[in-house]
Amino acid sequence: MTISLARGIPAPECLPVEELADCAQAALRRDGATILSYGSTLGYEPLREWIAERHAVEPGRVIVTNGSLQVFHFLLSALPAGPVIVERPTYDRPRKILLAEGRELIEVPVDADGLDVDELARVGPAALLYTIPTFQNPTGTTLSDERRRRLAELARDRSLTVLEDDPYSLVRFEGERLPSVLELEGGEHVLYSSSFSKTVAPGLRVGQLEGLVASTYITPALLAQATVHEFLRRGLLEPSLERVSGLLRERRDAMLEALDRELVGQARWNRPEGGYFLWLDLPEELDASELLGRAVEAGVTFVPGVDFGGPPNSMRLAFSFVSPAEIDEGVSRLARLVASAPAPA
Ligand SMILES: Cc1ncc(COP(=O)(O)O)c(C=O)c1O
């Protein structure tokens, strides 16, 4: 059976199926006439209020959509012309959307402390900076506290519009929580986008963005939003986060242990404090895309770093989806392929 270290989705055990079945039923019984009808374009009011309180903003600044990429499209259509600054590497989907829309990309590298803010300060004006400061997709890296403060300052000084995409920060396994760039900047230039996909369940398609108005649909999927609200109202988020973080931590540790056993001296990788992914660099002469062809035959998959704008010898390994035992076996398969990689021409 193929072991996927490619899929950045939650393991089935992470999904609180029974609780959500109860919550959906309770939400329908309590507020069915509202949630089955047309309602607020900006999302289910009680959920918007909950989010607003959590982020200390006015509910009027919160929009709950059917997913993060939807809000990304809304934002793009509201932006002036001009280049968009992205991290290198960055989440592949927004990158592809930007390229398809013909936006010029300005790529600023990510290192062990996240986005290189010195380099950012050197680039010219742009319509937007798209950044994932915490447990970044694809690298798993987190922007340091000091860089967060400088990024907030830079956004203010240059009137640079920033989209802080933050679906992973609540799935932290260790280390201190860091302030969001939104909190540090005060919300004048920073738009903040998060998601319940990693903390409740992706199938519900609930995302959030502050400071933007939507006009694509009359009403988003209110039943899903009311179900999430019921989940939150019952105080199920914190226990669910604890459970999900525990499951993910086990998986990250299984991956790190297997890498330490199998690939020391042959590759380099990081140790994320949360999220779904880690980043691995092979020796420079090896090509991860070539390796993937052989990996599929050997029953293991990953995503080559080039898909995210990274170098040819890099790859993203997701530890979110398969079991710890499968991760262990998947890394062993991968290591055998690296050891037998053909010498470069
Ligand atoms: C950085 C980032 N943003 C957004 C998403 C998707 O969020 P949603 O499920 O709300 O569309 C993902 C999922 O992989 C992600 O990695």
Side-chain angles (χ1 to χ4, degrees):
M1 197 195 69
T2 296
I3 296 173
S4 176
L5 307 178
R7 300 204 75 180
I9 66 171
E13 308 86 282
C14 289
L15 305 174
V17 176
E18 287 304 317
E19 288 94 330
L20 286 170
D22 264 9
C23 289
Q25 200 175 53
L28 271 173
R29 293 240 150 80
R30 193 151 47 77
D31 207 11
T34 302
I35 62 186
L36 293 176
S37 185
Y38 289 110
S40 163
T41 305
L42 297 183
Y44 188 55
E45 301 286 356
L47 181 58
R48 291 174 64 210
E49 282 162 23
W50 187 95
I51 292 167
E53 194 179 323
R54 188 156 174 121
H55 291 280
V57 299
E58 286 301 311
R61 295 194 61 191
V62 178
I63 164 175
V64 186
T65 67
N66 300 306
S68 299
L69 289 179
Q70 194 165 42
V71 106
F72 190 70
H73 279 287
F74 291 147
L75 178 54
L76 281 188
S77 58
L79 280 182
V84 172
I85 306 168
V86 297
E87 295 165 335
R88 188 181 67 232
T90 190
Y91 181 26
D92 52 345
R93 289 175 199 270
R95 195 169 190 280
K96 283 181 191 137
I97 292 170
L98 289 165
L99 291 172
E101 295 213 346
R103 289 267 176 181
E104 182 197 338
L105 295 190
I106 302 176
E107 298 185 299
V108 175
V110 165
D111 62 25
D113 286 328
L115 179 71
D116 183 341
V117 180
D118 286 334
E119 183 61 30
L120 177 69
R122 285 192 280 271
V123 307
L128 177 75
L129 162 66
Y130 171 69
T131 178
I132 311 156
T134 309
F135 313 140
Q136 194 229 24
N137 183 1
T139 62
T141 52
T142 292
L143 191 66
S144 67
D145 189 64
E146 193 245 350
R147 286 192 186 178
R148 279 169 196 251
R149 289 171 200 279
R150 281 170 51 215
L151 175 54
E153 233 175 72
L154 212 98
R156 255 195 314 266
D157 294 350
R158 308 233 170 133
S159 295
L160 172 66
T161 304
V162 177
L163 174 59
E164 175 176 21
D165 188 8
D166 188 31
Y168 298 106
S169 67
L170 292 179
V171 285
R172 176 179 276 286
F173 320 143
E174 60 198 30
E176 290 292 303
R177 176 194 177 268
L178 294 170
S180 65
V181 183
L182 172 83
E183 271 168 79
L184 293 171
E185 192 270 344
E188 195 177 333
H189 302 288
V190 177
L191 302 158
Y192 178 90
S193 163
S194 187
S195 171
F196 289 103
S197 294
K198 320 298 167 189
T199 53
V200 183
L204 295 164
R205 304 278 79 210
V206 181
Q208 78 195 52
L209 183 115
E210 292 160 11
L212 202 77
V213 176
S215 60
T216 302
Y217 40 70
I218 302 176
T219 296
L222 291 181
L223 174 55
Q225 297 191 5
T227 302
V228 168
H229 178 252
E230 182 65 24
F231 191 86
L232 302 170
R233 210 177 69 91
R234 293 182 176 195
L236 293 175
L237 180 62
E238 292 307 324
S240 173
L241 283 177
E242 216 159 283
R243 203 177 61 79
V244 169
S245 300
L247 290 166
L248 289 169
R249 182 193 292 119
E250 253 177 66
R251 286 164 169 75
R252 179 208 58 177
D253 290 347
M255 185 169 276
L256 289 174
E257 266 169 42
L259 289 169
D260 275 338
R261 186 186 67 227
E262 302 277 356
L263 278 166
V264 169
Q266 290 170 281
R268 282 179 300 123
W269 56 89
N270 58 349
R271 183 181 197 283
E273 293 188 332
Y276 277 21
F277 310 107
L278 65 76
W279 190 251
L280 184 138
D281 290 307
L282 297 165
E284 261 175 37
E285 64 275 14
L286 296 190
D287 184 291
S289 304
E290 183 279 325
L291 194 77
L292 179 61
R294 293 188 294 123
V296 171
E297 285 169 32
V300 60
T301 58
F302 56 84
V303 185
V306 286
D307 285 15
F308 309 96
N313 62 319
S314 62
M315 65 175 76
R316 184 190 80 174
L317 294 179
F319 49 77
S320 59
F321 181 53
V322 295
S323 69
E326 288 168 319
I327 289 172
D328 193 87
E329 173 58 24
V331 171
S332 298
R333 290 180 190 173
L334 197 60
R336 285 197 288 275
L337 294 168
V338 172
S340 65

